[in-house]
Amino acid sequence: MKKTIFSRYDKSKIGELPKVLFEGRIVVVLTDSEAQKAVDYLLSQPILGVDTETRPSFKKGKINKVALLQVSSHEVCFLFRLNQLGISPAVKRLLEDRKVPKIGLSWHDDLNMLHKAGDFEAGNFIDLQDHVREVGVEDLSLQKLYANFFGQKISKRERLTNWEADILLEKQKQYAATDAWACIMLYEELMRLEQTGDYELIKVIDDVQRNSA
């Protein structure tokens, strides 16, 4: 039976979906020695999911530096606290690695923010937004994409919390890890559908398109 996906997913339906959470191990990284061990593990994996978090600013024109870099395998997610660690030698080695594919969403923006924290040459990164249109999907948000491809909801409740807090709350850790891990899941499913053609795309026409037709 072919998977049904939509060119645009109805956001109003997301609230009805079951919630998905990363169920693997979450490790907070605070020092360069911890980062060295984390990076050694991560670069031994076949694929990684990546994301960042920044403390929200409610003042016009003020943008904070990246506070957290989360990098996940299928089983373990490491949370690099860049507000304490910075772009350490180990973090730089991870960001510059050209062997292991690292999957992000709107990752071009994240890279621009990371470059403000330190100098590095970006390695092997893949942005999901560059690929979803290949199967006819127009949505670009992680929440809509995950709902569309898997019928599950990624909660965004923790997005505007303080990512520079002395100690991250468990809900923050879970949120951050889920976002990074979900990028792996989406990419692998996207590649499967492209290779097998095992999907049916339903073209959704919104009011703007309908009026202009």
Side-chain angles (χ1 to χ4, degrees):
M1 186 175 180
K2 290 189 174 183
K3 171 174 282 194
T4 299
I5 56 176
F6 301 87
S7 61
R8 295 188 179 192
Y9 195 86
D10 186 349
K11 188 174 182 179
S12 66
K13 295 181 179 179
I14 294 178
E16 305 167 6
L17 299 175
K19 186 177 178 180
V20 63
L21 287 172
F22 175 64
E23 296 182 353
R25 184 177 169 218
I26 301 174
V27 181
V28 177
V29 179
L30 295 170
T31 68
D32 191 51
S33 61
E34 292 173 349
Q36 294 281 3
K37 294 176 183 177
V39 171
D40 287 343
Y41 166 81
L42 289 167
L43 294 185
S44 72
Q45 300 303 299
I47 190 170
L48 299 170
V50 292
D51 195 18
T52 66
E53 303 298 339
T54 302
R55 189 183 77 183
S57 171
F58 301 104
K59 292 183 179 180
K60 187 176 180 180
K62 178 177 170 57
I63 300 175
N64 293 313
K65 290 185 178 180
V66 176
L68 191 73
L69 168 67
Q70 56 263 44
V71 187
S72 184
S73 68
H74 286 92
E75 295 87 16
V76 186
C77 184
F78 292 89
L79 308 182
F80 296 86
R81 300 213 63 189
L82 298 187
N83 59 308
Q84 300 181 35
L85 184 63
I87 304 296
S88 71
V91 172
K92 184 176 181 180
R93 176 161 62 98
L94 174 66
L95 293 172
E96 293 188 337
D97 170 73
R98 295 187 178 276
K99 293 182 180 180
V100 182
K102 302 161 196 70
I103 318 301
L105 185 80
S106 188
W107 188 248
H108 304 296
D109 296 333
D110 289 74
L111 277 176
N112 286 336
M113 292 294 290
L114 285 166
H115 276 123
K116 293 178 181 179
D119 292 329
F120 64 91
E121 292 186 13
N124 185 7
F125 291 100
I126 297 171
D127 195 324
L128 283 168
Q129 290 186 347
D130 294 337
H131 292 275
V132 291
R133 289 192 176 93
E134 294 171 5
V135 294
V137 173
E138 298 173 29
D139 290 322
L140 297 178
S141 77
L142 186 67
Q143 189 181 53
K144 280 190 175 183
L145 288 172
Y146 208 88
N148 198 354
F149 282 88
F150 293 106
Q152 294 177 301
K153 174 180 67 178
I154 293 178
S155 172
K156 307 306 288 183
R157 187 171 294 177
E158 304 302 317
R159 184 171 67 90
L160 296 179
T161 55
N162 182 11
W163 294 102
E164 294 181 12
D166 290 340
I167 298 175
L168 294 178
L169 301 174
E170 288 303 316
K171 288 183 178 180
Q172 288 179 298
K173 296 177 189 177
Q174 196 79 63
Y175 168 90
T178 298
D179 275 9
W181 165 82
C183 289
I184 298 178
M185 304 307 290
L186 280 167
Y187 182 75
E188 290 182 337
E189 181 65 0
L190 185 61
M191 292 299 101
R192 184 186 76 82
L193 295 179
E194 282 190 357
Q195 291 168 9
T196 64
D198 189 27
Y199 67 95
E200 177 186 6
L201 178 72
I202 295 180
K203 185 72 174 176
V204 177
I205 300 177
D206 61 23
D207 291 337
V208 174
Q209 290 174 309
R210 188 177 293 110
N211 291 335
S212 62

